[in-house]
Amino acid sequence: MPRTATVNPKPAHQPSNTMERSPLVFKIATEDWEFDLVHQLNYRTFVEEIPQHPASQTKRLVDKFHAENKYIICLSGRRLAGMLALRGKRPFSLDQKVANLDSYLPPGRSLCEIRLLSVDKKFRTGQVFQGLMTQVWQQFMENSYDMGVISGTTRQAKLYHHLGFIPFGPLVGAEGVQFQPMYLSIESFEAGVRDFLSSRSGRSLQRPMVNFLPGPVTVSRQVRRAFEQIAESHRSDAFLADLEAMKQTLCELTCARHVEILLGSGTLANDVIAAQLSLEAKPGVILANGEFGERLVDHARRFGLGFDLVQCPWGTAFDLAAVERKLGRRPRPGWLWMAHCETSTGMLNNLAALKALCAKKEVKLCVDAISSIGTTPVNLEGVYLASCASGKGLRSFPGLSMVFYNHELERAAKPLPRYLDLELYARCQGVAFTQSSNLVYALQAATRRVDWPQRFVELAEVSLWLRPKLREMGFNLITPDEEASLAVLTIALPVDMDSVKIGRQLHEAGFLLSCNSDYLRRRNWLQICLMGEFAREKLVSLLNHLNRVCFRRAQPVPSAVAEVFSSSGAARK
């Protein structure tokens, strides 16, 4: 989702004394006060500065296409620094000014009209114009427009030419207030906008970024607000009650009996599991078919655990018969540790089958569920220990991890590092050490009153549309659809494409994809992850960008959101 800043609550009619220090925020106008500012700037520009319309006492000019316009605006606090309107419905305003408009334009194009471009006099440094046109580029991608038309003021002809606009037809407008009809193709637009996106001028420009990372993920406004509250004592009765309620919510989501919330990343939670397994008398088995299964091996070795390894090629499912044979060996293993969602490949390992197998063999099952909880239904009933983290499928800030368990903890016969002693947390009402109330309340806001079954249905709809669409475009997905996570799509790029270079180009275009981890770099892999908050139409924009960056294709991916997400879908088991 596009990034927005918290705006200054100062009323719109009051001048800002800190205008230069306020960040520039680009967004689509949605609020009544924003539309009022649009009408005011429209009046100042096209009545007072460029006298196209008669004056009025209201000092506001409402455009005749207002109900159909999509306004892209730039805010500095509560000041409107600039705006423009985008509209894809014919007839355009230019249709009324240029007879037989289509005869001047290349045929077969998907058109929109760009109008009402206006920048407040105090913000005419070029930065606002750049940001507005960058947002227009995003709208081109999301709506599959491949050409825009505009009647641009002749005073800015050089600027329009630099951006790639092509003039056509006669001048329009009254004597002294004339405009040049122009069109902008997506091919010429791309080069100009890349210059804008790569520009590093000015720290006050907040670029919109669409986050498809596996973490940190984009969080909702409610989560950000909860995090920004004044910190509370982690020893207070109120906080302890809220923490207990948070733990109950997590247990209900996963069908686990108990959970402890730790201040640290998912790696900490897996270290806690390794510490608990060091208390076991029997050796174990570890399953690895990707980077994070192999990290479990590293956790185990650092604690000196005895174990057998069942290892498969990355992106392939485990042979359950081979796993069963390992569990039947002598001495009989006491535990099995595996990653549910293998984040490196997007493989969703068969938790239900492994639970049944471990129950049959009387083996304690431990699960890395860091990338699965919150993105797919996860039932931890019968699981011995499981890890999770706040900054992935639970859609909160990183910084908290969890260890779920279903048994009563006893004091360890041998001392464990204090920070890794799960029983110590349970004995101290979940707060053995300093805890962050900000992170806890952010997690509470992220999980409160969530319709999880509906979330999983929606993720299934998106994933079931996106995976075949990527294959149609020519991409190779690591994991077969029937064994894939709903939230992690790993693409293996051919040798003539550089995953890091493509990731940088997509970053310049406003998209965050995972490509920089060592294991992704080594394999030339790129990842699209659906763990955080995102607007569905942004996926269409992403695919259009991928089409152009990877294949230099001009034709857009179909953008009808109704077509994209029309199937009801069903959450996978």
Side-chain angles (χ1 to χ4, degrees):
M1 299 177 71
R3 219 192 301 173
T4 58
T6 304
V7 294
N8 189 326
K10 183 178 292 186
H13 66 274
Q14 292 186 10
S16 171
N17 293 326
T18 59
M19 183 187 70
E20 285 74 15
R21 295 194 297 272
S22 297
L24 299 180
V25 180
F26 296 87
K27 67 185 294 286
I28 305 298
T30 56
E31 307 293 333
D32 289 342
W33 66 269
E34 294 172 343
F35 290 119
D36 188 55
L37 292 179
V38 165
H39 302 326
Q40 292 180 49
L41 182 56
N42 200 23
Y43 184 91
R44 293 198 303 273
T45 302
F46 298 107
V47 175
E48 297 179 343
E49 184 177 356
I50 304 175
Q52 288 183 274
H53 301 274
S56 72
Q57 292 183 342
T58 65
K59 301 292 184 179
R60 286 163 174 77
L61 177 61
V62 179
D63 184 63
K64 60 183 177 181
F65 296 118
H66 172 67
E68 299 172 355
N69 288 339
K70 178 179 286 187
Y71 293 101
I72 299 172
I73 62 174
C74 173
L75 295 171
S76 177
R78 296 279 286 202
R79 290 182 65 103
L80 182 61
M83 70 174 191
L84 59 77
L86 205 67
R87 181 169 166 269
K89 183 178 180 180
R90 302 289 291 269
F92 295 147
S93 172
L94 205 51
D95 278 305
Q96 301 170 8
K97 300 173 184 176
V98 178
N100 198 12
L101 175 63
D102 291 303
S103 66
Y104 294 97
L105 305 175
R109 295 287 183 151
S110 174
L111 295 174
C112 67
E113 185 173 40
I114 305 167
R115 301 178 57 248
L116 307 183
L117 174 59
S118 176
V119 178
D120 187 279
K121 291 180 179 179
K122 295 182 179 179
F123 291 87
R124 291 179 183 174
T125 62
Q127 198 173 57
V128 172
F129 177 75
Q130 290 180 8
L132 292 173
M133 295 310 295
T134 299
Q135 289 288 304
V136 171
W137 167 251
Q138 293 289 344
Q139 291 300 313
F140 266 50
M141 291 294 101
E142 290 170 17
N143 295 280
S144 291
Y145 298 135
D146 54 18
M147 181 165 288
V149 295
I150 190 172
S151 52
T153 173
T154 54
R155 292 180 293 181
Q156 296 293 339
K158 184 177 180 180
L159 179 61
Y160 286 117
H161 175 75
H162 175 73
L163 191 57
F165 280 91
I166 305 299
F168 67 87
L171 296 176
V172 298
E175 186 69 28
V177 188
Q178 292 190 312
F179 297 86
Q180 174 64 62
M182 293 177 282
Y183 68 79
L184 178 66
S185 70
I186 195 169
E187 293 84 2
S188 58
F189 200 179
E190 182 179 31
V193 170
R194 182 177 290 121
D195 290 341
F196 290 170
L197 292 170
S198 60
S199 172
R200 300 185 181 276
S201 61
R203 292 179 177 267
S204 62
L205 178 63
Q206 288 197 354
R207 286 173 45 201
M209 300 299 295
V210 186
N211 186 341
F212 292 113
L213 295 173
V217 301
T218 299
V219 301
S220 69
R221 185 178 304 168
Q222 290 78 13
V223 172
R224 294 197 301 271
R225 286 175 177 170
F227 180 79
E228 291 168 356
Q229 299 303 307
I230 296 173
E232 291 189 18
S233 168
H234 54 284
R235 302 297 183 191
S236 70
D237 291 341
F239 176 76
L240 290 174
D242 288 337
L243 181 66
E244 184 61 33
M246 179 73 258
K247 292 165 65 175
Q248 182 62 34
T249 297
L250 292 170
C251 288
E252 290 172 358
L253 171 62
T254 59
C255 300
R257 290 177 59 192
H258 309 289
V259 64
E260 303 303 334
I261 301 176
L262 321 173
L263 186 60
S265 70
T267 300
L268 170 63
N270 282 331
D271 267 344
V272 169
I273 291 177
Q276 290 296 302
L277 293 178
S278 72
L279 304 175
E280 297 291 320
K282 295 181 179 180
V285 173
I286 298 179
L287 310 184
N289 59 352
E291 170 72 15
F292 291 89
E294 292 179 5
R295 290 190 190 184
L296 297 182
V297 172
D298 184 62
H299 282 283
R301 286 175 176 162
R302 288 171 183 268
F303 271 88
L305 305 183
F307 63 91
D308 283 332
L309 176 62
V310 176
Q311 193 163 22
C312 296
W314 288 29
T316 61
F318 294 112
D319 181 346
L320 293 177
V323 175
E324 186 169 12
R325 287 194 296 271
K326 283 284 187 183
L327 295 182
R329 286 187 175 184
R330 300 288 182 180
R332 184 67 62 87
W335 50 268
L336 183 146
W337 199 4
M338 50 86 73
H340 184 200
C341 174
E342 176 49 69
T343 319
S344 60
T345 63
M347 169 69 69
L348 190 67
N349 291 312
N350 194 333
L351 177 59
L354 288 165
K355 280 173 60 176
L357 186 56
C358 287
K360 174 183 174 183
K361 297 293 185 179
E362 297 183 340
V363 169
K364 296 174 179 178
L365 177 60
C366 302
V367 179
D368 176 338
I370 291 171
S371 291
S372 57
I373 291 177
T375 64
T376 196
V378 177
N379 186 336
L380 296 179
E381 187 177 5
V383 170
Y384 186 60
L385 296 163
S387 56
C388 184
S390 58
K392 292 185 180 290
L394 295 177
R395 298 181 295 176
S396 188
F397 291 104
L400 295 180
S401 58
M402 304 112 219
V403 176
F404 296 86
Y405 55 102
N406 289 294
H407 57 287
E408 298 302 321
L409 296 170
E410 298 179 358
R411 291 202 181 192
K414 67 175 186 179
L416 294 175
R418 288 176 58 82
Y419 209 59
L420 306 182
D421 189 343
L422 191 63
E423 189 274 336
L424 180 58
Y425 287 90
R427 193 187 337 142
C428 298
Q429 295 180 272
V431 186
F433 316 105
T434 298
Q435 182 58 278
S436 168
S437 65
N438 303 78
L439 287 171
V440 169
Y441 288 130
L443 180 61
Q444 183 183 66
T447 56
R448 181 189 295 152
R449 294 188 294 274
V450 175
D451 186 342
W452 291 105
Q454 181 59 30
R455 168 162 164 75
F456 300 145
V457 167
E458 292 171 354
L459 272 176
E461 290 175 351
V462 174
S463 182
L464 292 172
W465 172 81
L466 182 57
R467 295 181 67 84
K469 189 65 68 177
L470 287 166
R471 288 199 171 95
E472 289 170 16
M473 292 168 63
F475 291 111
N476 175 33
L477 299 182
I478 295 299
T479 305
D481 292 354
E482 61 275 11
E483 296 168 334
S485 162
L486 300 176
V488 182
L489 296 88
T490 304
I491 302 169
L493 295 176
V495 292
D496 60 338
M497 297 182 189
D498 186 327
S499 62
V500 175
K501 181 179 178 181
I502 288 171
R504 288 197 189 107
Q505 289 178 291
L506 292 170
H507 184 275
E508 289 177 357
F511 296 93
L512 298 175
L513 272 67
S514 187
C515 63
N516 286 317
S517 297
D518 286 343
Y519 62 88
L520 296 177
R521 284 174 175 259
R522 290 195 301 269
R523 293 167 176 79
N524 201 34
W525 288 359
L526 191 69
Q527 284 189 322
I528 302 171
C529 296
L530 309 175
M531 294 189 182
E533 300 280 344
F534 65 92
R536 292 181 170 195
E537 63 270 15
K538 296 297 183 182
L539 283 170
V540 176
S541 178
L542 172 62
L543 294 188
N544 285 335
H545 277 284
L546 277 170
N547 231 348
R548 299 189 61 76
V549 168
C550 295
F551 303 112
R552 310 305 300 173
R553 292 173 180 157
Q555 67 271 26
V557 174
S559 65
V561 175
E563 176 253 319
V564 172
F565 307 107
S566 59
S567 62
S568 60
R572 299 181 188 183
K573 296 181 181 179

